[in-house]
């Protein structure tokens, strides 16, 4: 029987992240505040230190209600970001994708620099976030598109620049 080879795996071997084995016990690593959002707390899973900052993994949970108006439009300048819902639910608006609704068991892979805004989340919101690299800049993004629900009809993705009197407004809807 001949040995099977996987050319893709062979090509990736030079990109392997060399790191020690890491075990992270919740009892030894409590949640801490002071991260990106004041209404969240974070529990580092030890991956950034183990990988020399190439990868970060953390559990994020909410500590306060979602700010009125959401998180604010922003983007992250990174190579990889994935979020997996452990508890709760949330609605997030993504540039070019519109509103997406998430609950426990759901996930997203977010392309680099995509503009997005967390519109709402439940009191029991808890997710695992994995990013590459471990540290990356987050920037506020100008609002170019929004979803507006008017009394008589819904208008999806219109340019705010085209309608100067419309203020940024997001309302969850099933349309």
């Amino acid at each position: 029987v001949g040995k099977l080879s996987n050319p893709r795996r062979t090509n990736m071997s030079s990109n392997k992240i060399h790191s020690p084995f890491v075990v992270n016990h919740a009892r030894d690593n409590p949640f801490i505040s002071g991260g990106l959002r004041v209404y969240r707390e974070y529990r580092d899973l030890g991956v950034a230190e183990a990988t020399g900052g190439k990868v970060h993994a953390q559990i994020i949970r909410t500590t306060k209600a979602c700010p009125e108006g959401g998180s604010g439009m922003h983007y992250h300048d990174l190579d990889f970001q994935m979020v997996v819902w452990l508890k709760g639910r949330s609605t997030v608006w993504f540039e070019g994708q519109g509103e997406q609704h998430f609950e426990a068991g759901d996930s997203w892979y977010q392309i680099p620099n995509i503009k997005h805004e967390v519109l709402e989340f439940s009191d029991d919101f808890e997710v695992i976030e994995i990013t590459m690299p471990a540290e990356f800049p987050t920037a506020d993004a100008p609002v170019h598109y929004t979803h507006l629900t008017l009394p008589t009809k819904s208008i999806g993705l219109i340019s705010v620049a085209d309608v100067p009197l419309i203020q940024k407004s997001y309302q969850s809807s099933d349309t």
Side-chain angles (χ1 to χ4, degrees), residues 32 51 99 153:
I32 59 169
T51 62
E99 287 185 17
K153 66 186 239 182

Side-chain angles (χ1 to χ4, degrees), residues 3-16:
K3 183 177 179 182
L4 296 176
S5 66
N6 182 339
R8 184 174 174 204
R9 185 171 186 172
T10 303
N11 292 339
M12 289 178 53
S13 64
S14 64
N15 296 326
K16 286 184 179 176

Side-chain angles (χ1 to χ4, degrees), residues 84-98:
V84 179
W85 263 255
L86 300 175
K87 296 179 187 175
R89 60 175 175 69
S90 184
T91 301
V92 183
W93 181 90
F94 293 94
E95 180 179 39
Q97 304 302 314

Side-chain angles (χ1 to χ4, degrees), residues 94-111:
F94 293 94
E95 180 179 39
Q97 304 302 314
E99 287 185 17
Q100 302 294 318
H101 304 278
F102 300 97
E103 59 186 36
D106 294 345
S107 67
W108 86 52
Y109 160 70
Q110 181 171 307
I111 62 174

Side-chain angles (χ1 to χ4, degrees), residues 58-124:
Q58 64 182 346
I59 300 174
I60 304 169
R61 68 182 181 191
T62 191
T63 58
K64 297 178 184 172
C66 185
E68 190 169 326
S71 66
M73 187 71 66
H74 62 281
Y75 64 93
H76 309 290
D77 188 9
L78 44 59
D79 297 325
F80 176 89
Q81 182 177 20
M82 182 174 184
V83 178
V84 179
W85 263 255
L86 300 175
K87 296 179 187 175
R89 60 175 175 69
S90 184
T91 301
V92 183
W93 181 90
F94 293 94
E95 180 179 39
Q97 304 302 314
E99 287 185 17
Q100 302 294 318
H101 304 278
F102 300 97
E103 59 186 36
D106 294 345
S107 67
W108 86 52
Y109 160 70
Q110 181 171 307
I111 62 174
N113 297 306
I114 188 172
K115 294 174 189 161
H116 61 283
E117 180 170 14
V118 177
L119 302 176
E120 61 88 23
F121 52 81
S122 61
D123 292 342
D124 59 344

Side-chain angles (χ1 to χ4, degrees), residues 134-156:
E135 294 187 21
F136 54 87
T138 294
D140 290 337
V143 177
H144 293 294
Y145 298 97
T146 188
H147 179 91
L148 299 174
T149 303
L150 301 176
T152 56
K153 66 186 239 182
S154 177
I155 303 172

